[in-house]
Amino acid sequence: MTQSKPLSSFLTVLVLALISSNVSAQTAPSTINAIRIAEVNQPIQVLSASHDTDNPSLLIVGHDGVVHFWDPQSGVRNTPFLDLGANGLNILDFGGNSEQGINGMTLDLDFDNNGLFYIIYNGYRPDGTGELIDERILCFGTTEDHLRADTEVWYEVLELVQPDQGHNGGQILFGPDQFLYISTGDGGSTGTGAVGGGSGGDDHGPIGNGQNLESLLGKILRIDVHGLNPYTIPSSNPFVGIENTRDEIWSYGLRNPWRFCFDSENGDMYIGDVGEVDWEEINYEAGGSSGGINYGWRLMEGPDCYEPIVDCDPNNSITEPIFAFPHENGLCSVIGGVVYRGQDIPSLNGYYILSDACGFGDTQFFTLISDGNGGWIDQPLVLDVEGGFVPWTETKFAFGEDNKGEVYLCTRYFVYKLLFDPLSPPVDEGGEEITFHPNPVAAGELIRMDLSEVGNVERLSVFDSAGRLAEVHISSSNGDNASFYTTGLLTGVYSVHVDIVGSDEIVYGKFVVYGE
């Protein structure tokens, strides 16, 4: 994927919202402050290293086979949590096709006790057997402290025989029902690229793998895993006991569902399905669904007939996407995201964040909000990162989520954390809060604190969004203790800690700087 010009300092992100009737498009934040937390090769997922919400450590899953261990004090640890790549087990199919490698990971529901986790990848088994091109789900054990994988302890849960490279899907997540859900692509074989449908995609038999209920490809699967033992089939799966179908299938008619998620509040599922030629789409399934949904591929691509091009007759048997966007302005590959349920960005609560791998500048992203009447409204959201995003290397790969519901963005070489809405910054607990005027303030302009009920300033410390000390102001000799200029401060959100003369009380506040 190529780009014809550098990305701007602001990166717009898609937001899709499932909201109640008392929420409107105007409630969506227009900007979210984000910070780069790690530099690794091709990160495709971020998840917490424990189910314990007091544990801030993260696992950053690399497409190249390396799962990195990150903590806020020291960053990325030198010794990885797991390495299936060339410097580790060397069992990965990676490099020949951009879609091959590690595709997803999740911790066992009892990880903090049993240390087990699941990973889905293309390549050999740890003993060197199997086909390189195939995709497989393995359960691994960990060391006693659960800080590193024990590659001597493993069990192959499921093998997906791939007819071609690409279209692997590869997200694995435990649903609210505690069953493991798996997204699988149609097995590759991209068509001719002819627009308007019928380009030969999913050329696997007369109806393609997506519509074939005897194939596990082009589906969302649902199984009951048991660690280092064989999985079983939930009796409530929609095709259990039906002839010529696979019991593992939960829903079908998907081309390449690279990323899907569950809303942790209500169990709703959102599926980002990568398109063939003309359309990218987001599919939706309400929490509590009994499954069995047909999302259309290859009969449909987005809202259009694909194969056959005319008279495809969906027959009301297909559930159309809630959102689809065409391949315009460089858009190429939808990146499904997550529903925000964290604490740091209240204005984002309930919104589904998504993106596209390609595109140029502000044309590559969207926001969507339910209109309360079965439709959806789109609205942009900007990610504000200090210094901007690095041109040419910021292809979006995935979003991630920690066990507190905070959200991360994975690009080709970097991981970012979404921090807060600059128009509604988080308030520290404890102490007294002061206000600033004007706020937001233009870069280089004078800003004044309201100190009427606080006292005289001894020292004022200004911290950027990463918590780094940006400036220190000492009480001036002319007696003006309540104002200072924002000269030299970049666009962004700043927190302020104020030492008051003769007091040990904590005084704090926040202000926003925007460009001149």
Side-chain angles (χ1 to χ4, degrees):
M1 294 175 285
T2 58
Q3 297 171 322
S4 61
K5 62 180 180 180
L7 296 178
S8 64
S9 295
F10 300 115
L11 187 62
T12 312
V13 179
L14 305 173
V15 174
L16 178 64
L18 180 68
I19 53 178
S20 59
S21 57
N22 64 339
V23 183
S24 68
Q26 285 68 40
T27 64
S30 60
T31 301
I32 294 296
N33 186 271
I35 183 175
R36 182 186 295 168
I37 66 166
E39 179 176 358
V40 298
N41 186 43
Q42 301 195 32
I44 51 91
Q45 188 179 358
V46 175
L47 68 159
S48 287
S50 166
H51 294 308
D52 181 2
T53 56
D54 291 330
N55 185 342
S57 298
L58 300 172
L59 298 175
I60 301 173
V61 184
H63 209 32
D64 63 353
V66 182
V67 178
H68 305 272
F69 193 99
W70 179 95
D71 68 70
Q73 285 75 38
S74 57
V76 176
R77 194 175 62 187
N78 290 331
T79 302
F81 178 84
L82 171 70
D83 188 354
L84 302 183
N87 295 318
L89 288 180
N90 196 25
I91 60 173
L92 203 69
D93 183 10
F94 177 75
N97 184 290
S98 62
E99 298 181 29
Q100 309 297 106
I102 288 184
N103 295 316
M105 176 180 172
T106 193
L107 303 183
D108 189 86
L109 294 173
D110 196 29
F111 173 82
D112 293 325
N113 291 317
N114 63 27
L116 300 178
F117 68 93
Y118 302 85
I119 196 154
I120 183 169
Y121 69 97
N122 301 97
Y124 300 114
R125 301 182 184 97
D127 59 7
T129 64
E131 295 294 328
L132 181 65
I133 193 175
D134 289 346
E135 189 172 26
R136 57 191 80 250
I137 298 174
L138 260 60
C139 177
F140 276 109
T142 54
T143 54
E144 187 175 352
D145 57 8
H146 300 170
L147 297 179
R148 188 174 182 183
D150 181 352
T151 55
E152 297 295 320
V153 179
W154 63 274
Y155 178 80
E156 183 175 79
V157 177
L158 179 66
E159 181 184 39
L160 297 165
V161 178
Q162 297 288 349
D164 200 351
Q165 289 187 327
H167 302 191
N168 295 286
Q171 184 84 38
I172 51 175
L173 290 174
F174 283 99
D177 52 15
Q178 300 193 340
F179 295 127
L180 186 69
Y181 289 74
I182 306 155
S183 68
T184 68
D186 64 18
S189 185
T190 297
T192 64
V195 298
S199 76
D202 195 9
D203 188 18
H204 306 106
I207 59 174
N209 282 330
Q211 293 296 312
N212 181 4
L213 294 178
E214 296 185 75
S215 170
L216 295 181
L217 302 181
K219 311 292 191 300
I220 298 292
L221 309 179
R222 179 185 188 238
I223 61 176
D224 191 3
V225 292
H226 307 288
L228 302 172
N229 295 288
Y231 71 85
T232 55
I233 305 293
S235 61
S236 55
N237 274 12
F239 299 105
V240 169
I242 299 177
E243 189 177 357
N244 299 323
T245 66
R246 291 294 300 263
D247 293 345
E248 294 92 339
I249 296 172
W250 177 255
S251 58
Y252 64 107
L254 296 163
R255 178 183 177 273
N256 188 15
W258 166 240
R259 285 296 175 261
F260 71 94
C261 79
F262 293 100
D263 183 342
S264 62
E265 184 168 287
N266 54 36
D268 293 348
M269 179 191 289
Y270 296 81
I271 306 168
D273 194 15
V274 179
E276 174 72 20
V277 178
D278 297 311
W279 293 97
E280 301 298 313
E281 65 185 70
I282 299 294
N283 295 293
Y284 167 78
E285 178 179 330
S289 166
S290 57
I293 295 175
N294 181 2
Y295 292 112
W297 175 254
R298 68 179 185 177
L299 186 63
M300 306 284 291
E301 183 192 21
D304 291 345
C305 291
Y306 178 84
E307 181 66 42
I309 298 174
V310 295
D311 299 327
C312 59
D313 190 19
N315 236 359
N316 296 322
S317 63
I318 290 174
T319 298
E320 295 188 7
I322 58 171
F323 178 54
F325 57 90
H327 289 182
E328 296 177 352
N329 300 314
L331 298 173
C332 73
S333 181
V334 66
I335 302 298
V338 296
V339 179
Y340 183 80
R341 295 295 183 186
Q343 298 297 316
D344 293 345
I345 318 175
S347 59
L348 198 59
N349 183 53
Y351 289 85
Y352 173 65
I353 308 166
L354 59 143
S355 186
D356 186 88
C358 308
F360 307 136
D362 291 343
T363 65
Q364 60 193 302
F365 306 101
F366 314 85
T367 65
L368 292 178
I369 295 178
S370 169
D371 64 6
N373 297 307
W376 302 84
I377 303 169
D378 64 279
Q379 181 173 318
L381 175 73
V382 170
L383 286 189
D384 181 2
V385 176
E386 181 181 356
F389 288 80
V390 179
W392 313 113
T393 63
E394 294 293 329
T395 300
K396 280 73 62 192
F397 278 7
F399 287 91
E401 186 178 21
D402 64 25
N403 58 22
K404 290 186 176 181
E406 301 306 330
V407 175
Y408 303 79
L409 172 67
C410 299
T411 67
R412 185 174 180 83
Y413 296 114
F414 303 105
V415 174
Y416 297 87
K417 182 179 182 181
L418 278 62
L419 291 179
F420 45 79
D421 179 349
L423 297 183
S424 182
V427 175
D428 296 334
E429 294 182 0
E432 185 171 352
E433 183 178 8
I434 56 174
T435 57
F436 293 87
H437 306 282
N439 190 12
V441 61
E445 296 298 315
L446 185 71
I447 188 170
R448 176 172 290 273
M449 296 176 288
D450 183 0
L451 298 176
S452 57
E453 298 181 0
V454 177
N456 293 325
V457 174
E458 179 177 330
R459 177 189 298 265
L460 181 146
S461 303
V462 180
F463 298 86
D464 66 16
S465 59
R468 295 182 293 254
L469 183 64
E471 291 185 352
V472 174
H473 296 276
I474 307 299
S475 178
S476 61
S477 58
N478 63 8
D480 182 7
N481 300 324
S483 64
F484 60 94
Y485 284 93
T486 59
T487 304
L489 296 182
L490 299 173
T491 298
V493 181
Y494 294 86
S495 61
V496 178
H497 291 254
V498 182
D499 295 324
I500 301 299
V501 175
S503 173
D504 294 329
E505 183 182 11
I506 300 173
V507 181
Y508 59 90
K510 293 186 184 296
F511 64 88
V512 178
V513 175
Y514 61 90
E516 296 179 276

